[in-house]
Amino acid sequence: VKPTTPRCSVPKAVPVGKSASLHCHENEGFPKSTYSWYRNSEPLSPDTKSSTKSHNSSYTLNPATGTLVFHAVHKGDTGRYSCIATNDAGFAKCEEQEMEV
C-alpha cells in the first residue's frame, strides 16, 4: 500500500545553539515507510559523517521513525524542510515548512 501524505511537524523558529526536533509520520503505508528529509530541496544524508554538505551541522536522522533532531542549530540550518515517506509501493511528500534559526 502506497504511503499517504506524511504529517510533518517543523518548529517555526529555534534559537541558535538550541536543539530542534522535526517529525514526519504516516501510518497507511505497507510495508512500513522509511523517511527522508530535505532542506531547500536538497536531501539530508542520514549519515552526517559521510556527507560533505552537512560537515558543520550536528543532527541525527532516523529513517525508520522519520525524526530529524538538530543537537545545536546554527544559522545555516535555516531553510524549508520537507519529508518524503517511501515504501515498495510508492512515496508521498509533505508540504515544505520553514524553520528559522
Side-chain angles (χ1 to χ4, degrees):
V1 179
K2 187 177 178 295
T4 54
T5 301
R7 283 191 310 282
C8 295
S9 64
V10 175
K12 294 266 175 275
V14 185
V16 169
K18 295 285 186 211
S19 65
S21 296
L22 288 67
H23 302 280
C24 178
H25 188 71
E26 71 82 37
N27 42 26
E28 303 291 313
F30 186 84
K32 266 198 162 334
S33 295
T34 56
Y35 301 95
S36 47
W37 279 94
Y38 293 78
R39 179 176 66 230
N40 302 330
S41 305
E42 291 278 325
L44 290 175
S45 167
D47 179 10
T48 50
K49 305 287 177 289
S50 71
S51 173
T52 51
K53 277 207 175 68
S54 56
H55 59 274
N56 56 1
S57 204
S58 61
Y59 65 82
T60 310
L61 202 174
N62 186 326
T65 62
T67 304
L68 170 61
V69 178
F70 288 94
H71 307 294
V73 296
H74 59 85
K75 283 288 185 199
D77 295 321
T78 296
R80 296 184 317 281
Y81 287 82
S82 60
C83 162
I84 294 181
T86 309
N87 70 8
D88 295 342
F91 66 90
K93 179 177 190 258
C94 73
E95 287 290 310
E96 283 189 329
Q97 296 179 42
E98 187 79 39
M99 179 173 84
E100 183 140 347
V101 178

